[in-house]
Each structure stands twice: as C-alpha cells, then as structure tokens.
Amino acid sequence: MTFSEENYLKTIYHLTAVSDADISTNAIAEKMETKASSVTDMLKKLSEKDLVNYVKYQGVSLTEKGKLAAKMIVRKHRLWECFLVEKLDFSWDEVHEIAEQLEHIKSEKLINKLDDFLGNPTEDPHGDPIPDANGRIIKVEKQLLSEFEKNQMGICVGVKDTSSDFLKYLDKQEIALGSQIEIIEKESFDSSFRIRVGNKEITVSNKIASNIYIK
Amino acid sequence: MTFSEENYLKTIYHLTAVSDADISTNAIAEKMETKASSVTDMLKKLSEKDLVNYVKYQGVSLTEKGKLAAKMIVRKHRLWECFLVEKLDFSWDEVHEIAEQLEHIKSEKLINKLDDFLGNPTEDPHGDPIPDANGRIIKVEKQLLSEFEKNQMGICVGVKDTSSDFLKYLDKQEIALGSQIEIIEKESFDSSFRIRVGNKEITVSNKIASNIYIK
DNA sequence: TATAATTTTTAGCTTTGTCTAAATTTAATT
DNA sequence: AATTAAATTTAGACAAAGCTAAAAATTATA
Ligand SMILES: [Mn+2]
Ligand SMILES: [Mn+2]
Ligand SMILES: [Mn+2]
Ligand SMILES: [Mn+2]
C-alpha cells in the first residue's frame, strides 16, 4: 500500500467517525486539500483492492479490510505521538506533523515492540484512543465542555481540535489532559464560559469550549 | 528532497568511502539494483540541484552540499538502528531494513532529540560511526581480522558485511561487538583462521575473516 | 416538472521515477 | 590505427498521483 492510499483510507476512516453515512467525494477532497477528480481516481483504485465500497456518484465507505487497515495506520500514528511526547519530550502541539510521516513506516514487529516499550498506552497525547494490534478500541465516553452546565465539574480528557494553534492556546491557559475544570458561569448571550482551572478563573469562548472533552 | 534522491546520495556516499575516485553510473545501478539509464536521469537532476558534480560519461562525485546531505541520512539511519537495538530490543540483523524507511523521516528536531535520548552514541549496532549534527565523524582505526597474524589478539569492533545472513552467522558463533578474538592459527593453504572467541575455539573461512573488524 | 445549481466523473495533460531498446562515447584488442 | 567490446546516454513508453476543464449525473429550486 502506498503512502497516498494509506492517507485516503485514514481520511475516510476519520470522516466516518463523525458522519456514519457514506462519505462524499468532496468531503474527502476538502479534508485532504486535494481536488475531487483526484479523489475519484483513488476511490476507483481502492475499490479495485477491496478496501472501500464505492458506487459512482453515491459516495464511499470502508470495507472490513479497509477499516482494519485504517485502524492500523491510526494505531501507528498515535503510538508514535506517545513516543514523541513521553520519550523524546516533545510538546503535544509538535507531534502530529511528525507522526504523519512515521505512521507510514511498515513493520508490524516495530509497532508492536514500540507499543510494549511505551507500556501499551490506550490513549495518545490528545486523549484519542489507540487501537490494539487487532484493531480493538477502548471507547471512553466523554462530553464537550460546551455541553456542561453551571457548577458542574470534570477532568479534561481530550481535545477535539488538535491543531497546533489550539493546543498552544491551551498551554497558555494551563489546560492539559488531567486538568480539573469547573464551570462557574455560562453566559447565555454568547454561550461563553467562566471556568476554574486549577486555582485560576478564566473566560473561554463557546468555540473553545466546543473543543475540549471532559469526563 | 525525495526518498529516491536521498537514496541515490546515500549510495554515492557509500561508494565514495571505498573507491575515492569518481563513481560510475554502473556502480550506482548495481548497488541500487536499478538500471543505468535510471541512474543517468537521476544524476542529471542531482547535478541540477548542486548535490553532485556530474560530467557525462566521466562519473560522479558529491559536492560539499551533497556530502552533508548524505551524511545526515546516514546519521538518521544509524541513530534509528541504535534505537531499535537498544530501546526496542531488536537484534542487529533485523534493524537495517526498518532503518531504510526511518532514515527518510524529515525533522531535524526529531533526530537531535533521538540522539540525546540514546545518549549521543558514536557508533551504530554494527560498529559504524554516527555523524554528529554537523556531519562530523569520529573515525576509529580498525583492521580486518583477515589481516591479523598468529597469536595476535583484539576486540571485535565492527563488521564489513552487514547482511542479515552474516550477522546471524556471527550470532551462532557467539561473535558480537566487544568479543575478544585471538588468532590461534592461520592456515596458509586456504587462508582460513583458527580463532578463540571467549572460551571457544572455532575455524572461520577467509571470507568470514575479511568481514570482521578488530581493534 | 422543468430549469438551475451543485456534485461527481471523465478526458487529457504533467511530473517523478522507472524501464527497454537504440544510439553514442569511451576503453580494450587485435 | 582500425575494430570490437563495454559503458553510458538518449529516446520513447509506462504507472502513480496529481491537476484543469469539460461532460454527466444528481439535487435543489422556481
Ligand atoms: Mn495526530
Ligand atoms: Mn493525536
Ligand atoms: Mn544499516
Ligand atoms: Mn548499521
């Protein structure tokens, strides 16, 4: 499997996680910052290899084979992110780009040894679950901070937006995985939140609150 | 720089280490298991980018820029090999193939952090020197076992042939980096050697002896 | 339901890196 | 020096993955 094929599978996998229905050509093109015509070409190829169910004009979904392949790429991506943060001391906003490269390294033995070396983590530095060697995922139920009400409390267990900009913002506000967050006030006018993180009180917009997972 | 360009530079670098003179198109083709015509095409491109000095029909050499680029790839290759052996417990005959992939990961920060994580090793699992971040190499003088005479002694510090087959043979004979080797007898008829490794006496052919470095 | 807008696919072109076969240059031998 | 052999380059083709522009299908709207 080429890097490109792997990237398409991964994108379809991620899009499936949110929408459930068949994925459109345009949705893939947008996410991958490529053109719809390029996507069509690739979908034909992936379909030929039985990695996706593709019907002209009707969108695409992963076959079981394609789904497992996608999970293995996600597994590698997230394990490498753990390695970078826990062993090499990278911060969580620096690792995604490098993991985008490392996820394409081909060696089952390598990834399984890496998994052991890291102590078989179940989540990556952004709180996303790591599929095991068989593709199994332990799902942790988590809610967005934006869905919380006044006086509720929880622990930050993940982020929805994993962009470097957003993660750096969280660093600045001293919000990290494990941080305890308490909703002090919810402003009805703009749905912003007044929250306590540790011993500090800060105000975050609804957009921010919609990208932090709490449990 | 593409993977392919990097592989060509690396190959020219390695061929230069043994021959000194300009490298021929065919020599590159043979080492890379590709065709001479493909090599010619690539040499033109690398020349265009000032990575090699190339004169039609006259062979090729690395420019300073090309040499540094090649060294950085070798640095990555050998550091990853260290990682695989020392941290992930791979044996020295398994790591080359995986390092061939990992050497193309692009991130200076990553490789320098990896270097630190490993304790800034100066040699890889096969006894080959690791260039530092500036491309500097600490050369250790070493001789081939085949050049030794009766009653001489030394420590195994490297191997010339790093093929999996040869390394497995050495494992079987319990010869590893650091092993003390003593020449008991040199057979003049076939230039084979009777040697002592640890407390065992074994006979090795001249071909074997010509691939083990001693100091 | 007919028309317009949007989405998707097709057709044709480009770049990268490879190949084979033919032409050219260099090296080796009479 | 002329001829043969070997090495190297050129010419032309191909597959992968991308693009633009045009055609076709689907969906939305009047
Ligand atoms: Mn990531
Ligand atoms: Mn992540
Ligand atoms: Mn190697
Ligand atoms: Mn090595």
Side-chain angles (χ1 to χ4, degrees):
Chain A
M1 195 146 38
T2 66
F3 283 24
S4 192
E5 288 173 329
E6 291 189 338
N7 284 334
Y8 274 93
L9 285 185
K10 193 182 53 162
T11 299
I12 297 167
Y13 176 78
H14 283 137
L15 288 171
T16 302
V18 288
S19 85
D20 226 31
D22 280 9
I23 308 301
S24 75
T25 301
N26 267 359
I28 297 169
E30 191 180 6
K31 187 124 191 206
M32 298 188 72
E33 297 182 77
T34 183
K35 303 293 160 165
S37 55
S38 306
V39 175
T40 301
D41 284 347
M42 183 56 84
L43 293 184
K44 284 183 198 163
K45 199 197 306 185
L46 294 175
S47 177
E48 203 55 47
K49 294 188 176 186
D50 267 316
L51 292 162
V52 301
N53 306 114
Y54 170 60
V55 183
K56 256 196 196 185
Y57 292 103
Q58 303 301 293
V60 72
S61 65
L62 294 172
T63 61
E64 277 311 306
K65 188 177 158 192
K67 194 173 177 180
L68 183 61
K71 279 179 173 173
M72 288 302 112
I73 300 159
V74 169
R75 168 170 161 80
K76 288 192 275 182
H77 182 103
R78 292 179 179 164
L79 282 172
W80 280 115
E81 285 189 345
C82 287
F83 169 71
L84 295 172
V85 166
E86 279 159 38
K87 301 295 182 179
L88 298 195
D89 235 25
F90 276 90
S91 63
W92 66 345
D93 63 290
E94 301 175 301
V95 296
H96 181 75
E97 215 191 343
I98 302 176
E100 287 288 304
Q101 297 181 62
L102 287 164
E103 72 189 5
H104 299 295
I105 301 294
K106 275 147 194 91
S107 167
E108 271 212 27
K109 192 164 185 178
L110 168 60
I111 204 63
N112 291 333
K113 275 179 177 274
L114 181 66
D115 194 7
D116 290 344
F117 180 59
L118 297 170
N120 310 109
T122 56
E123 283 171 17
D124 82 358
H126 311 104
D128 291 315
I130 300 174
D132 73 14
N134 303 307
R136 260 184 284 277
I137 292 173
I138 298 167
K139 266 200 191 138
V140 173
E141 52 168 317
K142 51 196 177 187
Q143 275 180 277
L144 288 172
L145 171 54
S146 57
E147 294 163 352
F148 270 55
E149 298 302 331
K150 183 172 172 174
N151 293 327
Q152 283 191 281
M153 271 179 59
I155 303 288
C156 173
V157 292
V159 290
K160 193 170 164 198
D161 179 353
T162 58
S163 72
S164 183
D165 278 352
F166 181 59
L167 297 174
K168 277 183 186 153
Y169 167 85
L170 294 180
D171 283 344
K172 205 166 57 191
Q173 303 295 349
E174 293 177 44
I175 299 172
L177 294 199
S179 296
Q180 181 164 309
I181 296 179
E182 180 185 348
I183 286 81
I184 297 164
E185 196 71 63
K186 182 170 180 178
E187 180 58 60
S188 58
F189 178 67
D190 64 356
S191 299
S192 68
F193 288 79
R194 185 85 191 149
I195 61 175
R196 184 178 355 259
V197 184
N199 52 7
K200 274 187 194 145
E201 267 189 34
I202 58 170
T203 303
V204 297
S205 70
N206 186 266
K207 187 176 175 186
I208 299 292
S210 306
N211 281 293
I212 297 174
Y213 285 116
I214 304 288
K215 196 179 72 175
Chain B
M1 195 143 41
T2 65
F3 283 24
S4 192
E5 288 174 330
E6 292 188 338
N7 284 333
Y8 274 95
L9 284 184
K10 194 182 53 161
T11 299
I12 297 167
Y13 176 79
H14 283 138
L15 287 171
T16 303
V18 287
S19 83
D20 227 30
D22 281 9
I23 307 302
S24 74
T25 302
N26 268 359
I28 298 169
E30 191 180 6
K31 187 127 190 200
M32 297 188 71
E33 297 183 77
T34 183
K35 302 292 159 167
S37 56
S38 307
V39 175
T40 300
D41 285 347
M42 183 55 85
L43 293 183
K44 284 184 198 163
K45 199 198 306 186
L46 294 175
S47 177
E48 204 54 50
K49 294 189 175 184
D50 267 316
L51 292 163
V52 300
N53 307 114
Y54 169 59
V55 183
K56 255 197 199 183
Y57 292 103
Q58 303 300 297
V60 71
S61 64
L62 293 172
T63 61
E64 277 310 307
K65 190 177 158 194
K67 195 172 174 179
L68 184 62
K71 279 178 173 174
M72 287 305 113
I73 301 159
V74 169
R75 168 171 162 77
K76 287 192 276 183
H77 183 102
R78 292 180 179 164
L79 282 172
W80 280 117
E81 285 190 345
C82 287
F83 170 71
L84 295 172
V85 167
E86 280 159 38
K87 301 295 181 180
L88 298 195
D89 235 26
F90 276 91
S91 62
W92 66 345
D93 63 291
E94 301 175 299
V95 296
H96 180 76
E97 214 191 344
I98 302 175
E100 287 289 304
Q101 298 180 61
L102 287 163
E103 72 189 5
H104 300 293
I105 301 293
K106 274 148 193 92
S107 168
E108 272 211 27
K109 192 164 185 177
L110 167 60
I111 203 64
N112 292 333
K113 275 179 177 274
L114 181 65
D115 194 7
D116 290 344
F117 180 60
L118 297 169
N120 309 110
T122 57
E123 284 169 17
D124 83 357
H126 311 103
D128 291 313
I130 300 174
D132 72 15
N134 302 307
R136 260 184 284 277
I137 292 173
I138 298 169
K139 266 200 191 138
V140 174
E141 51 167 318
K142 51 195 175 186
Q143 275 181 277
L144 289 173
L145 172 54
S146 56
E147 293 162 351
F148 270 54
E149 297 303 330
K150 183 173 172 175
N151 293 327
Q152 283 191 281
M153 271 179 60
I155 302 288
C156 173
V157 293
V159 290
K160 193 171 165 200
D161 178 353
T162 57
S163 72
S164 183
D165 278 352
F166 181 59
L167 298 173
K168 277 182 187 154
Y169 167 84
L170 294 180
D171 282 345
K172 206 166 56 188
Q173 304 295 349
E174 291 176 46
I175 299 173
L177 294 199
S179 296
Q180 182 165 308
I181 295 179
E182 181 187 345
I183 286 80
I184 298 165
E185 195 71 64
K186 182 171 180 176
E187 180 58 61
S188 57
F189 178 66
D190 63 355
S191 300
S192 68
F193 288 79
R194 185 84 191 150
I195 62 176
R196 185 179 354 260
V197 184
N199 52 6
K200 275 189 193 145
E201 265 188 37
I202 58 169
T203 302
V204 296
S205 70
N206 187 265
K207 188 177 175 186
I208 299 291
S210 306
N211 280 294
I212 297 174
Y213 286 115
I214 304 287
K215 197 179 73 173

